[in-house]
């Protein structure tokens, strides 16, 4: 029987404890069930899922466009700092807003330096590339080398290769 995705995330969190960035990405397309898995995981750890879009947009509302770009990393770190470990993030689409001029993966890595973070990633992982959105879309991102542990909704996980 295949190992449930929930268990792969827990094993990835354990493996991430010794890494520079303690980041675990749950990668899947819209509607693939990422939110349900994150909720179950948060319940098990006695924490809650942070809706990044909602939390950040309310904090950024009063700021100018330039202030939003400059202060976003600090605000995201503060939001994560208020959460219990592991920090569970969902709905991270705001991080990809081109007007904010940010590298979403770098932001997530930054907040995972001092705490374990599990974040949903609305995209795909193919042939060692982490993708967000479709080619040509204004928010499209492609990462060749990712300093994070990845669990795919298709059951793949970077932790599997370390197990062998």
């Amino acid at each position: 029987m295949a190992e449930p995705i929930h268990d792969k995330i827990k094993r990835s969190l354990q493996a991430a404890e010794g890494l520079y960035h303690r980041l675990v990405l749950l990668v899947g397309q819209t509607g693939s069930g990422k939110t349900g898995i994150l909720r179950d995981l948060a319940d098990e750890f006695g924490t809650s899922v942070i809706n990044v879009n909602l939390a950040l947009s309310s904090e950024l509302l009063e700021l100018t466009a330039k202030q939003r770009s400059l202060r976003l990393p600090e605000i995201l770190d503060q939001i994560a700092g208020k959460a219990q470990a592991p920090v569970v993030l969902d709905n991270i689409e705001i991080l990809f807003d081109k007007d904010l001029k940010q590298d979403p993966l770098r932001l997530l890595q930054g907040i995972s330096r001092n705490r374990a973070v599990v974040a949903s990633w609305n995209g795909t992982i193919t042939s060692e590339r982490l993708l967000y959105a479709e080619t040509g879309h204004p928010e499209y991102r492609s990462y060749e080398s990712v300093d994070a542990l990845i669990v795919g909704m298709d059951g793949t996980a970077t932790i599997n290769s370390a197990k062998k």
Side-chain angles (χ1 to χ4, degrees), residues 8-93:
K8 289 183 181 190
I9 294 171
K10 286 177 22 185
R11 279 197 310 121
S12 295
L13 278 169
Q14 291 171 339
E17 285 303 316
L19 301 177
Y20 186 78
H21 294 114
R22 292 179 267 175
L23 177 61
V24 177
L25 296 175
L26 178 59
V27 179
Q29 297 288 352
T30 301
S32 61
K34 297 183 301 294
T35 298
I37 289 172
L38 291 178
R39 281 189 189 134
D40 291 345
L41 186 75
D43 287 347
E44 185 174 328
F45 281 100
T47 186
S48 58
V49 177
I50 298 170
N51 181 329
V52 177
N53 290 343
L54 187 62
L56 270 179
S57 60
S58 65
E59 293 289 330
L60 298 175
L61 197 59
E62 301 295 322
L63 303 176
T64 67
K66 184 172 183 169
Q67 288 173 324
R68 288 175 185 162
S69 295
L70 295 173
R71 300 233 6 247
L72 179 70
E74 171 193 344
I75 294 169
L76 183 61
D77 190 55
Q78 288 171 356
I79 290 168
K82 293 176 187 172
Q84 288 183 301
V87 177
V88 182
L89 305 175
D90 197 14
N91 305 106
I92 65 167
E93 294 82 5

